[in-house]
Amino acid sequence: MVGLHGGVFGEVATYLPGRRVAGIRITPERAEVHLTLVWGEPVRATAEIVRDVVGELTGVPVFVTVEDVVRTTSLETSLETSSKTSVAGALDGAGATSTAPSIGGSTAGSITAKEIS
């Protein structure tokens, strides 16, 4: 995983005191995580891992969207332009706890791939 992706227009974000975390949107009913992956990484398996971890931290259904896939040669450029905040770190700041129960187990949420180029 290269990092979090804020969406086409930067619309996917969580607002914390004094900062904005692009690529994660958390509401009382659901969590959304938008990612950029490196070509060759298993999309479904990576999304399932992210969904399971975030689900344990938030206790709500998690929807993972792969926004973009980049070549390994563009990894350095992608890291410079993407959010460097980890998913767990961002969730920590949002008040999520690791003891929250998972709703719907590991099947909660969905996995989508919007763009593979």
Side-chain angles (χ1 to χ4, degrees):
M1 182 175 104
V2 174
L4 299 170
H5 191 291
V8 176
F9 301 106
E11 70 277 9
V12 180
T14 292
Y15 294 90
L16 300 174
R19 67 185 178 129
R20 178 180 182 273
V21 180
I24 299 175
R25 181 182 299 144
I26 301 172
T27 69
E29 298 82 30
R30 67 188 283 164
E32 296 177 36
V33 181
H34 293 242
L35 308 172
T36 298
L37 300 180
V38 174
W39 177 259
E41 287 184 3
V43 174
R44 186 169 297 278
T46 302
E48 287 175 355
I49 290 167
V50 170
R51 185 186 64 215
D52 291 346
V53 169
V54 174
E56 286 181 25
L57 292 170
T58 62
V60 297
V62 177
F63 297 84
V64 176
T65 301
V66 175
E67 292 276 356
D68 199 4
V69 177
V70 296
R71 294 184 181 129
T72 55
T73 56
S74 65
L75 178 61
E76 187 174 287
T77 302
S78 296
L79 285 173
E80 290 172 6
T81 59
S82 69
S83 171
K84 294 181 183 178
T85 305
S86 72
V87 171
L91 292 172
D92 254 355
T97 63
S98 58
T99 58
S102 176
I103 295 177
S106 63
T107 59
S110 66
I111 301 168
T112 61
K114 285 177 59 176
E115 181 182 332
I116 299 178
S117 59

